[in-house]
Amino acid sequence: MNAQRISKVINKTMEIGRQQISLGNVATYIPELGKARKDALGLCISLPDGTVYKAGDTNIRFTIQSISKVISLCKALELRGAETVFSHVGMEPSGEAFNSIVELDLQSNRPFNPMINSGAIAVESTIIDYVSFEEMLEYTQRLCSDSGITLNRQVYHSEMNSCDRNRAIAYLLKSKDIITTNVDNSIELYTKMCSLNVTAESLANFALLLANGGICPGSGERLLKEETVRIVLSIMLTCGMYDGSGRFAVEVGVPTKSGVGGGLMAPVYGRCGIGIYGPSLDQKGNCIAGCEMMKHLSREMCLHMFQERQSG
Ligand code: GLU
């Protein structure tokens, strides 16, 4: 696809996204997130040859929220190995909301997967004694090729004052011996990771790294093991869009992770990285514009993983 055609597709994609914004709402359960500009919208597509396509609000900083679950999972897999990590958390879709607690107690000994809150808190507990927040911040900057990523203290404190549900989840996990380390430290690391300020461009960079099998396309340096990328992308495909993951996989066919701050991070394996920002969310907590935009991009650019790529 030539540059002119891609620009045309991007313009149309932005138009489709804008039409969705009024149908969703900005998250308010973390009070500080409610201050986001509802009509903000940014799209960034990064290619392995260094070409970057940007439209709209690609430089606005917003908190990464659940997309940090992917980063923590990468770190845990690399530091502790898959066997240890998956003795604390499963790899199956939950079919429940991201912050659900009921099925965790009734149906399971472990959180269903690392992309929901219970699973991510369990993942943090596997690394808490091995890595500091400062090291995780630096790791995030490296994976996103963005040294401007910092902790958003307002969002962090806002969430720490309103995260009783996550604390309840963590203590339940402790009662089941899934968390054996300090619960408060796990919650603190989890919440700090959710409160990192990124841009649509940083998310596109991280997506490109994953799409490129863990090798930084610019420097040629391997930042993630092949096995880590394989596990992470598979879990993103089946669990990355909360309880909308199945439909999204059918309609878009690209492993994607969303966050309640409005971010979407979508690695198109072997092709490109996509980052989207739009804080207006659908009922499931996904960026409402981003979902339609990804559908359009998938159709127009033949991004679905089970679809032949056409030339032209
Ligand atoms: N920090 C948010 C929470 O724990 C993340 C949720 C999300 O983005 O899905 O509720």
Side-chain angles (χ1 to χ4, degrees):
M1 205 180 247
N2 63 37
Q4 205 185 357
R5 167 101 178 93
I6 295 189
S7 298
K8 224 172 138 192
V9 171
I10 287 177
N11 289 342
K12 181 71 188 165
T13 305
M14 289 293 288
E15 196 186 312
I16 288 173
R18 281 196 198 98
Q19 287 164 4
Q20 294 296 313
I21 292 174
S22 64
L23 306 175
N25 287 302
V26 169
T28 51
Y29 77 100
I30 299 171
E32 197 63 26
L33 293 184
K35 296 183 181 167
R37 226 187 71 211
K38 184 176 171 180
D39 64 350
L41 190 66
L43 165 65
C44 182
I45 304 181
S46 298
L47 307 186
D49 68 1
T51 310
V52 180
Y53 293 95
K54 294 190 213 181
D57 301 310
T58 49
N59 295 321
I60 291 187
R61 295 239 167 231
F62 58 96
T63 51
I64 187 168
Q65 297 299 336
S66 247
I67 303 168
S68 68
K69 290 169 173 138
V70 180
I71 294 171
S72 296
L73 179 60
C74 286
K75 190 64 173 180
L77 289 169
E78 305 245 314
L79 261 183
R80 305 297 316 276
E83 206 179 308
T84 302
V85 172
F86 291 110
S87 66
H88 292 262
V89 63
M91 18 176 130
E92 304 302 336
S94 70
E96 302 288 337
F98 67 95
N99 57 2
S100 171
I101 195 166
V102 176
E103 90 286 358
L104 178 62
D105 199 25
L106 292 180
Q107 295 177 29
S108 165
N109 285 324
R110 285 174 307 165
F112 279 86
N113 68 71
M115 298 290 114
I116 52 174
N117 290 11
S118 53
I121 294 166
V123 167
E124 302 297 355
S125 78
T126 68
I127 55 174
I128 191 81
D129 290 339
Y130 296 79
V131 67
S132 65
F133 166 68
E134 285 67 31
E135 286 165 323
M136 286 303 289
L137 170 60
E138 203 242 319
Y139 185 64
T140 305
Q141 291 172 339
R142 204 152 9 107
L143 297 187
C144 295
S145 303
D146 179 1
S147 56
I149 296 174
T150 53
L151 176 68
N152 183 325
R153 291 187 183 276
Q154 283 91 335
V155 173
Y156 169 63
H157 290 299
S158 182
E159 181 162 3
M160 283 302 272
N161 288 329
S162 57
C163 69
D164 298 325
R165 203 176 174 86
N166 285 342
R167 285 184 206 279
I169 288 173
Y171 279 100
L172 180 61
L173 293 175
K174 180 151 196 202
S175 77
K176 289 169 171 263
D177 281 334
I178 296 160
I179 291 186
T180 49
T181 46
N182 184 297
V183 171
D184 293 326
N185 291 350
S186 298
I187 286 288
E188 188 184 312
L189 180 60
Y190 167 78
T191 311
K192 280 187 171 164
M193 288 301 293
C194 288
S195 305
L196 295 180
N197 262 334
V198 293
T199 62
E201 188 167 2
S202 2
L203 295 182
N205 291 340
F206 180 32
L208 178 61
L209 175 71
L210 291 168
N212 206 39
I215 296 174
C216 176
S219 64
E221 191 189 348
R222 175 168 286 288
L223 297 184
L224 294 169
K225 290 181 198 151
E226 258 180 277
E227 189 202 16
T228 301
V229 174
R230 180 167 40 83
I231 293 172
V232 161
L233 290 183
S234 306
I235 293 180
M236 280 171 66
L237 181 71
T238 53
C239 312
M241 299 296 281
Y242 309 118
D243 47 332
S245 300
R247 177 176 284 274
F248 193 84
V250 170
E251 293 179 344
V252 179
V254 175
T256 302
K257 183 72 196 94
S258 61
V260 294
L264 272 194
M265 191 274 290
V268 187
Y269 200 73
R271 290 191 54 191
C272 63
I274 302 175
I276 294 178
Y277 171 54
S280 181
L281 308 179
D282 66 16
Q283 301 256 311
K284 294 182 192 289
N286 294 315
C287 167
I288 194 160
C291 290
E292 287 304 310
M293 289 162 79
M294 285 300 297
K295 260 196 242 173
H296 183 72
L297 286 173
S298 176
R299 259 194 319 266
E300 291 297 313
M301 296 172 71
C302 302
L303 303 181
H304 200 294
M305 60 193 293
F306 302 120
Q307 182 184 359
E308 276 311 316
R309 207 175 141 182
Q310 289 152 15
S311 54

